[in-house]
């Protein structure tokens, strides 16, 4: 047995139309695996976890590598847009900097040239870096299947490790993000075992914005990665920030609530107690940074 076995044999199909993909999925079902960058799929095939007969490359389908921004409709990112494309795109950096930061935090520059946003979400790993950002930015997965197109919110999309709301025969074509609230600020904080492209032990995405309907005058959305079977929104922490006057004590209470929402398990990469403590630390750090930014925007607009 080879120490590092090679890829098993398979038929490679470069799909050129969405209906061709549907036809292949319909005809060959579980024997088909879709591929974009292949940075998850090919590793799993090499490890022997999956052995598809057909690998269908969908990244050349029309629109799959496009990024479109419109000040009314928001951002549409083709499923096969790479992390480097996303991190470097002017509209993404200006209006969705949180998403750009999350994309930039993935692995190494070389890997980010292949790894795609859609692949990161479809893989449904609890530690996918773009998942918490997609949650707080209210992203929607655009799916295409035998019944046509449909959209699924990010909160409904992730069902468990490796499991999504995609039905058999469907595939992801794009991710849509609405225009973020005016003057919002976002941060993605990631803790890995090394700064050089490691999977996250904890990922925290925060979006804050002023909102006259909240009694504090502000709302925050907080997404947590790597600390539960699926990426989560820290709803209790969000409620604290919407209802209590914002000050250091409120930020600290919200960070504690975020910690209480996290449900990590002990594994080879980190202990649960440590991960919980790091959720609190990173949430507090992120909230302070976003809060400082929101205050400075407010004083500029006075
Ligand atoms: C060395 C290394 C370091 C990594 N570091 C990180 C990291 O720091 N952070 C992080 O989040 N991830 C990391 N990853 C994981 C991986 O790179 C990312 O999840 C990446 O974004 C996956 O994208 P891809 O295009 O390569 O997906 P692929 O491997 O092409 O596909 C991923 C999964 O989605 C399915 N799929 C592909 N296209 C579609 C579609 N259109 N519709 C439905 N299903 C589809 C595939 O069948 C497969 O199951 C790392 C991986 C490696 C090998």
């Amino acid at each position: 047995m080879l120490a590092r076995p090679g890829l098993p044999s398979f038929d490679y199909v470069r799909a050129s139309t969405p209906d061709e993909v549907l036809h292949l999925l319909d005809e060959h079902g579980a024997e088909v695996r879709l591929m974009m960058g292949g940075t998850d799929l090919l590793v799993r095939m090499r490890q022997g976890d999956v052995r598809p007969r057909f690998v269908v490359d969908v990244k050349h389908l029309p629109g799959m590598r496009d990024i479109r921004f419109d000040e009314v409709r928001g951002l549409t990112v083709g499923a096969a847009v790479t992390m480097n494309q996303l991190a470097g795109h002017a509209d993404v950096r200006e209006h969705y900097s949180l998403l750009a930061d999350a994309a930039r935090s993935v692995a190494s520059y070389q890997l980010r040239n292949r790894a795609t946003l859609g692949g990161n979400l479809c893989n449904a790993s609890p530690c996918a870096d773009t998942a918490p950002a997609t949650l707080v930015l209210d992203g929607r997965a655009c799916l295409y299947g035998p019944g046509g197109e449909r959209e699924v919110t990010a909160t409904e999309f992730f069902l468990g490790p490796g499991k999504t709301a995609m039905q058999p025969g469907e595939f992801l074509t794009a991710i849509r993000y609405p225009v973020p609230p005016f003057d919002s600020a976002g941060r993605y904080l990631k803790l890995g075992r090394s700064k050089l492209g490691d999977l996250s032990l904890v990922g925290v995405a925060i979006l804050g914005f002023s909102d006259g309907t909240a009694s504090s005058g502000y709302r925050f959305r907080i997404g947590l990665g790597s600390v539960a079977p699926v990426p989560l929104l820290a709803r209790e922490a969000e409620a604290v920030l919407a209802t209590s006057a914002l000050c250091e004590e409120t930020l600290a209470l919200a960070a504690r609530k975020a910690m209480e929402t996290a449900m990590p398990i002990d594994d080879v990469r980190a202990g649960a107690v440590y991960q919980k403590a790091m959720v609190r630390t990173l949430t507090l750090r992120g909230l302070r940074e976003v809060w400082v930014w929101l205050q400075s925007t407010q004083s500029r607009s006075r």
Side-chain angles (χ1 to χ4, degrees):
M1 188 180 156
L2 290 169
R4 300 184 67 197
L7 278 172
S9 60
F10 59 88
D11 285 342
Y12 171 86
V13 182
R14 178 177 159 149
S16 45
T17 66
D19 288 333
E20 186 186 349
V21 180
L22 295 193
H23 177 71
L24 286 162
L25 288 170
D26 181 43
E27 195 160 335
H28 301 289
E31 291 184 315
V32 174
R33 282 287 171 150
L34 304 186
M35 183 178 83
M36 294 198 285
T39 63
D40 280 317
L41 179 66
L42 298 179
V43 172
R44 294 192 63 213
M45 286 172 63
R46 203 160 115 160
Q47 287 167 342
D49 299 340
V50 285
R51 286 189 80 102
R53 197 171 136 213
F54 300 99
V55 169
V56 178
D57 190 339
V58 293
K59 67 177 166 292
H60 304 286
L61 298 178
M64 290 286 270
R65 291 187 288 182
D66 296 346
I67 300 179
R68 278 173 285 131
F69 175 69
D70 175 311
E71 297 214 344
V72 177
R73 298 183 59 203
L75 183 71
T76 304
V77 182
V81 165
T82 66
M83 298 295 178
N84 276 344
Q85 255 184 296
L86 199 57
H89 194 276
D91 289 324
V92 180
R93 289 164 64 133
E94 183 177 346
H95 303 284
Y96 304 82
S97 63
L98 166 59
L99 185 62
D101 290 349
R104 198 176 303 103
S105 80
V106 170
S108 58
Y109 185 87
Q110 290 85 341
L111 195 116
R112 291 195 293 274
N113 265 344
R114 287 205 67 85
T116 64
L117 174 64
N120 198 232
L121 300 178
C122 288
N123 199 43
S125 161
C127 60
D129 280 305
T130 60
T134 297
L135 276 180
V136 303
L137 289 166
D138 215 6
R140 286 167 169 266
C142 305
L143 307 177
Y144 185 62
E149 288 175 345
R150 69 180 181 116
E151 288 192 8
V152 176
T153 63
T155 41
E156 295 163 343
F157 186 71
F158 301 106
L159 301 183
K163 294 201 184 81
T164 70
M166 271 184 296
Q167 296 297 313
E170 284 186 324
F171 69 101
L172 182 74
T173 56
I175 304 92
R176 288 212 177 105
Y177 299 91
V179 178
F182 180 69
D183 268 353
S184 57
R187 286 283 285 126
Y188 180 64
L189 293 99
K190 169 175 176 175
L191 175 72
R193 285 173 302 184
S194 86
K195 291 205 169 182
L196 295 171
D198 196 13
L199 293 170
S200 74
L201 299 178
V202 174
V204 179
I206 299 179
L207 185 76
F209 49 94
S210 60
D211 182 343
T213 68
S215 44
S216 71
Y218 294 90
R219 284 192 198 276
F220 288 77
R221 289 173 64 96
I222 304 173
L224 307 177
S226 290
V227 289
V230 290
L232 299 173
L233 285 173
R235 304 255 190 216
E236 284 194 28
E238 293 174 0
V240 165
L241 294 158
T243 53
S244 312
L246 289 188
C247 59
E248 182 60 24
E249 287 71 34
T250 303
L251 302 189
L253 176 61
R256 185 157 66 75
K257 293 283 180 198
M259 177 180 75
E260 288 166 7
T261 301
M263 300 176 284
I265 49 167
D266 291 320
D267 66 19
V268 286
R269 295 189 309 119
V273 172
Y274 175 65
Q275 280 175 292
K276 266 184 161 298
M278 288 302 103
V279 168
R280 184 181 193 162
T281 303
L282 294 195
T283 304
L284 183 55
R285 192 179 298 163
L287 286 174
R288 282 183 183 140
E289 289 175 13
V290 170
W291 177 227
V292 165
W293 194 94
L294 291 174
Q295 283 176 304
S296 69
T297 322
Q298 231 185 20
S299 56
R300 274 201 307 274
S301 62
R302 270 194 205 118

